[in-house]
Amino acid sequence: MSYFVIFLYAMLFHVSSIMFSSQAGFNAKISDEVIFYSTMDHIISFVVVYLVLQQFQWFKRDSETVISDWYITLFEKNKFFIFIIVLFAAFLAYKSVQLILSGALRHQLLTEHETGGLAYMAVSSFFKILVPMVFFFKTSFNLKILAIAGLLFSIMITASRSELAYVIKFFMILLLFANHKTIYKKLGKFTAIASTMVIAAVLSTSLLQNRPISDGFGAFYDIFISQLTYGTYGYYLSEISLEASSSIEKGLFGFFGYVSEFGFRFVSPPSAPIDSAFVGELHNLGTSKITGRPFLANVGYPWWTWFVGTFGFAGLIIKAVFVYILLYILMTVRFVFTIVLLLSFVILGVMATHPLLTLTHTFNFVVAISIDVIVLLFSKRRHRVVC
């Protein structure tokens, strides 16, 4: 049931974004090519995920038990170390808040004061997956408080709302791990968490980003329009990434993103690098009829475009096979953090960015894989002790 709920949500968001683009004030309509390929990628991705998940009995029958025994047990036993990470996040947040109070804007935090460095990437990557996990599964009150505190401090570091969107996505992916006995209870939890994250987004917009927002329920409408707008950007940015990946030089970018681009710089510098200048460049797509503000889009270059731009329609098949292999390997070794992170791009990111587009995206996976390895080693050690 949860699988089809997620599919319907993703398809609804896909259709809504396309419809929104024709009414919101964008300079042009989304091309038929982009609509076709994005829709096909959406359908194929869900089919691939369904085929992989059906092959693993632990996922279909015991996923909640496996995660509770492996992950939750480790987190509960190591709350002190999580507390240390929270303190470190609080220290980083304190420095950012001081800058905000002195008048620094969000983009200045990132560009001039470099608050989005590796330290931020590490704590943000950890807490935005930890929060949905500790609320999805049965955990202690203290662990929940530590996770929430870490998330809030992560948000303060860069005055960004992106962590909140990730939490909602990750919690939705975790619904796949619910069995038929607990699914309705988990859906209730998801609704509560999503509502809380939206309220937090409203507060962060006003307090941290110092941006105007409507009063009362109008504030929630603003957040909804904002997320729909960001989702729509990807359809227009697709044209740019399709063109950027049209040469054979970018043949590996669809697979390995930042890693391949970084490696090639030492061998043969690319003629048109996919670097921070490319990713961060703002593209004016029009002016909002609702807010009157310009549509300035960057970063959200969809994953499928890097395959289609290089290989044509066959790129969708190549991407599907690649995702199948990745998921199969991760399911075999039961790397839950990495599975959740990857699935958020595969089935909730039709128009979202390449999962390894930048160093930040890549570091998310480095952190997730590191945690999964630690959990695997811990579970094997505990198993030997018990035996």
Side-chain angles (χ1 to χ4, degrees):
M1 174 183 174
S2 57
Y3 176 85
F4 295 104
V5 169
I6 296 173
F7 174 80
L8 290 175
Y9 163 81
M11 181 61 80
L12 178 62
F13 191 84
H14 173 58
V15 174
S16 298
S17 297
I18 295 173
M19 295 176 63
F20 176 75
S21 68
S22 63
Q23 305 292 329
F26 287 92
N27 290 332
K29 292 184 177 180
I30 299 172
S31 71
D32 293 339
E33 179 188 32
V34 169
I35 293 176
F36 171 75
Y37 279 119
S38 60
T39 303
M40 291 300 299
D41 179 68
H42 176 83
I43 296 171
I44 292 172
S45 296
F46 268 88
V47 171
V48 168
V49 171
Y50 180 81
L51 292 176
V52 174
L53 298 185
Q54 292 304 304
Q55 297 185 54
F56 291 87
Q57 294 298 317
W58 74 266
F59 179 83
K60 292 192 292 183
R61 297 179 182 178
D62 305 313
S63 58
E64 289 195 50
T65 302
V66 168
I67 295 175
S68 294
D69 288 348
W70 286 30
Y71 286 80
I72 302 305
T73 300
L74 177 63
F75 297 146
E76 292 286 5
K77 288 180 176 291
N78 292 275
K79 287 196 288 284
F80 176 76
F81 294 103
I82 296 177
F83 175 69
I84 297 299
I85 300 174
V86 171
L87 289 180
F88 179 61
F91 170 71
L92 297 176
Y94 173 77
K95 295 197 297 182
S96 292
V97 170
Q98 290 294 102
L99 293 170
I100 293 172
L101 292 176
S102 66
L105 301 176
R106 179 177 178 270
H107 71 274
Q108 292 175 319
L109 292 179
L110 298 172
T111 57
E112 298 179 17
H113 303 286
E114 299 182 344
T115 59
L118 291 179
Y120 158 74
M121 296 180 199
V123 297
S124 173
S125 299
F126 176 58
F127 285 115
K128 65 191 178 188
I129 301 183
L130 181 65
V131 167
M133 186 165 285
V134 299
F135 281 92
F136 188 87
F137 299 99
K138 186 177 181 180
T139 57
S140 67
F141 178 76
N142 290 339
L143 183 58
K144 288 182 172 70
I145 292 298
L146 287 174
I148 287 292
L151 178 68
L152 292 176
F153 290 136
S154 298
I155 293 170
M156 293 179 188
I157 295 171
T158 59
S160 172
R161 300 177 305 191
S162 61
E163 278 85 1
L164 302 174
Y166 272 111
V167 168
I168 295 175
K169 284 186 176 182
F170 292 153
F171 203 108
M172 187 176 291
I173 295 299
L174 285 174
L175 291 175
L176 294 172
F177 293 82
N179 57 50
H180 67 281
K181 295 180 180 179
T182 62
I183 182 59
Y184 292 106
K185 182 179 180 181
K186 302 300 185 184
L187 282 171
K189 283 188 175 183
F190 168 73
T191 302
I193 287 291
S195 300
T196 302
M197 293 301 106
V198 171
I199 294 173
V202 171
L203 294 175
S204 66
T205 301
S206 176
L207 300 177
L208 293 178
Q209 298 183 353
N210 196 27
R211 291 163 55 184
I213 195 164
S214 302
D215 296 328
F217 286 103
F220 298 98
Y221 176 75
D222 289 349
I223 294 297
F224 170 74
I225 292 298
S226 175
Q227 292 305 307
L228 195 58
T229 300
Y230 292 145
T232 305
Y233 284 167
Y235 294 86
Y236 292 97
L237 293 175
S238 296
E239 301 280 359
I240 299 172
S241 49
L242 282 169
E243 182 178 353
S245 58
S246 59
S247 67
I248 195 64
E249 183 183 71
K250 301 301 179 187
L252 293 178
F253 193 85
F255 299 94
F256 307 112
Y258 173 85
V259 177
S260 65
E261 196 76 0
F262 183 79
F264 275 125
R265 291 173 191 171
F266 293 97
V267 179
S268 176
S271 57
I274 309 300
D275 53 16
S276 57
F278 176 92
V279 174
E281 182 181 357
L282 291 171
H283 300 272
N284 193 326
L285 305 178
T287 303
S288 173
K289 294 180 180 179
I290 300 173
T291 65
R293 293 194 293 268
F295 291 129
L296 300 177
N298 62 0
V299 181
Y301 299 96
W303 193 9
W304 63 265
T305 60
W306 302 99
F307 286 94
V308 172
T310 304
F311 305 107
F313 182 82
L316 292 181
I317 308 303
I318 294 172
K319 174 177 176 281
V321 173
F322 180 60
V323 169
Y324 183 96
I325 293 172
L326 286 179
L327 280 176
Y328 191 92
I329 294 172
L330 294 173
M331 291 291 290
T332 300
V333 295
R334 302 184 182 186
F335 275 17
V336 175
F337 262 48
T338 312
I339 291 170
V340 171
L341 182 57
L342 180 60
L343 285 179
S344 71
F345 285 94
V346 175
I347 62 178
L348 291 180
V350 175
M351 298 314 303
T353 182
H354 189 308
L356 300 178
L357 180 65
T358 66
L359 175 61
T360 301
H361 291 91
T362 304
F363 206 74
N364 284 335
F365 279 92
V366 171
V367 172
I369 292 172
S370 299
I371 294 172
D372 285 328
V373 169
I374 292 172
V375 170
L376 180 64
L377 295 176
F378 169 80
S379 64
K380 287 185 175 181
R381 177 183 175 186
R382 190 163 64 92
H383 179 72
R384 286 197 299 268
V385 170
V386 172
C387 293

